[in-house]
Amino acid sequence: MRERADNALKTAETGPYLPVRASNRGRSLLSRCLLNRTAVLAAGVVLLLAASILLGSYTVTIPDFFKILATHFTGGEKIPGASFIVMEAKLPRAVIGTLIGVAFGLSGALFQTMLRNPLASPDVIGISYGASAAAVLAIVVFGASGAVVSGSALGGGMAVAALIYGISRTGSLGLGGGNRGNAAGNRLVLAGVGIAAALHAMVSFLMTRADIRTAAEALIWINGSLNSASWDRAGVLALTLVVLVPVAALLAGPLRILELGDDAAAGLGIRVAATRLGLVLTAVALAAVATAAAGPVAFVAFLAGPIARRFTGRASLPASALVGALIVLAADYFAANIAPLLLDGTVLPVGVVTGALGAPFLLWLLVTSNRKDA
């Protein structure tokens, strides 16, 4: 079994007919290309982050920005108006947008790679809907706001994830051969889609029972918005990612081996059940904390992994995280600065823009999948 697994690993990485020396050179070139393209994505994130802070309806020059930062940390004389706009509106909004993009991108890539299914992202399988339903319930029924709503969203996402995992676990999500594992993964996706539909109906019912002001507040939240960005939320989100991102990095190696199939992974010494459970918990936590910070920003987790794979040529967690940040920052810049020019001053929630991007991509993915199967 060990020998077969080693052969499978070599075949998956180098092909059966390549000599060892050539395969080493090939891997070196592939790694260098992946690093270069990931660096391009990182540069794109930095540029969009700078554009979000410096440009828009209120522009700030680069010298003024650094002066505002210096005076904020040293207690010097502030620039009237500009200091408040940058430090209390633009900068926390851009920081939270970047962080939730990283969280959603990582979460979607973990689910899609583990289950080998491009539809297996938190917003498709119902985790984001669970967070939305819990948050709307807290707003409409209990009149909650602020941190209570975020906490409710976090708990709702975790609870729905546990329910979906429990349903799929009755098969063999964590145990057994590759075919059984794939079947359990498909059950997880199907169970998530069904639960998401039920939760969507629940949210619609709650919205019909709410008064106009409460419904408007809930509607902005469930669409995903960065309008309520603050340093408190940014701090909580950053501390959470400091814990979860290293965990995802540690699981990246076993995740690549799991792509060979459960039998090969077990032959290479991977504890399949424990690894899958760790991947699910990490991916769910990433999606839940991002949703709690800004609402269910639609399709970011769904889009980030496939776009990163096409750009870099292979599955990559860092690239997926950076693509997620790029999507959120670009969508928020359009929603906050360009959409008002086109829609007579209407500022869109960022989730409306990402949803408009994700819907045609989902249809395209389904069409291309059907062509491959035909």
Side-chain angles (χ1 to χ4, degrees):
M1 174 64 72
R2 177 81 181 189
E3 182 179 355
R4 285 193 305 165
D6 290 340
N7 291 335
L9 182 61
K10 291 176 183 178
T11 301
E13 291 186 352
T14 65
Y17 302 113
L18 296 178
V20 173
R21 185 176 300 174
S23 66
N24 289 336
R25 286 201 300 267
R27 281 198 296 269
S28 177
L29 290 173
L30 183 62
S31 299
R32 194 177 301 118
C33 180
L34 179 61
L35 287 175
N36 290 338
R37 296 192 177 189
T38 303
V40 170
L41 292 175
V45 171
V46 173
L47 289 176
L48 273 178
L49 186 63
S52 299
I53 298 169
L54 302 177
L55 304 179
S57 58
Y58 187 92
T59 59
V60 180
T61 64
I62 295 177
D64 283 346
F65 172 71
F66 285 107
K67 181 179 179 181
I68 289 169
L69 281 182
T71 57
H72 179 79
F73 290 110
T74 60
E77 184 178 355
K78 297 181 179 180
I79 301 176
S83 296
F84 178 83
I85 291 173
V86 170
M87 297 306 302
E88 301 301 327
K90 280 178 166 283
L91 191 55
R93 185 185 186 108
V95 169
I96 288 184
T98 304
L99 294 178
I100 66 168
V102 168
F104 278 128
L106 272 179
S107 178
L110 288 172
F111 271 120
Q112 290 165 341
T113 306
M114 178 184 67
L115 299 176
R116 296 190 288 276
N117 190 329
L119 296 178
S121 66
D123 36 14
V124 175
I125 65 175
I127 294 171
S128 296
Y129 277 108
S132 299
V136 172
L137 182 67
I139 293 172
V140 174
V141 177
F142 300 103
S145 62
V148 176
V149 177
S150 298
S152 300
L154 180 62
M158 292 289 190
V160 170
L163 177 61
I164 296 170
Y165 185 80
I167 293 173
S168 63
R169 189 68 172 80
T170 56
S172 56
L173 184 63
L175 299 171
N179 292 333
R180 294 177 60 200
N182 290 342
N186 292 333
R187 277 197 301 275
L188 187 146
V189 174
L190 292 174
V193 170
I195 292 173
L199 292 171
H200 181 71
M202 173 184 168
V203 170
S204 299
F205 171 77
L206 290 172
M207 294 291 284
T208 62
R209 307 298 297 175
D211 59 74
I212 294 178
R213 293 182 61 183
T214 304
E217 180 184 354
L219 185 62
I220 292 174
W221 195 92
I222 64 177
N223 282 326
S225 175
L226 298 177
N227 292 336
S228 59
S230 65
W231 285 117
D232 290 337
R233 291 190 179 188
V236 173
L237 185 57
L239 289 175
T240 307
L241 291 183
V242 166
V243 176
L244 293 178
V245 170
V247 173
L250 290 174
L251 293 172
L255 177 61
R256 288 188 61 191
I257 298 176
L258 281 178
E259 291 185 81
L260 300 173
D262 291 354
D263 289 337
L268 289 168
I270 298 297
R271 297 175 59 188
V272 176
T275 301
R276 286 190 185 276
L277 180 58
L279 287 167
V280 168
L281 291 176
T282 303
V284 168
L286 285 166
V289 296
T291 303
V297 183
F299 287 127
V300 176
F302 173 70
L303 291 169
I307 293 175
R309 183 188 292 266
R310 289 180 178 274
F311 184 76
T312 60
R314 59 182 295 183
S316 170
L317 294 183
S320 299
L322 292 171
V323 170
L326 282 171
I327 292 172
V328 175
L329 288 173
D332 184 59
Y333 186 86
F334 178 88
N337 300 297
I338 299 177
L341 301 177
L342 303 175
L343 302 174
D344 296 328
T346 301
V347 178
L348 296 176
V350 64
V352 172
V353 180
T354 58
L357 293 173
F361 187 85
L362 175 59
L363 294 176
W364 174 82
L365 185 64
L366 292 173
V367 169
T368 54
S369 298
N370 289 335
R371 287 177 181 173
K372 290 179 181 178
D373 294 337

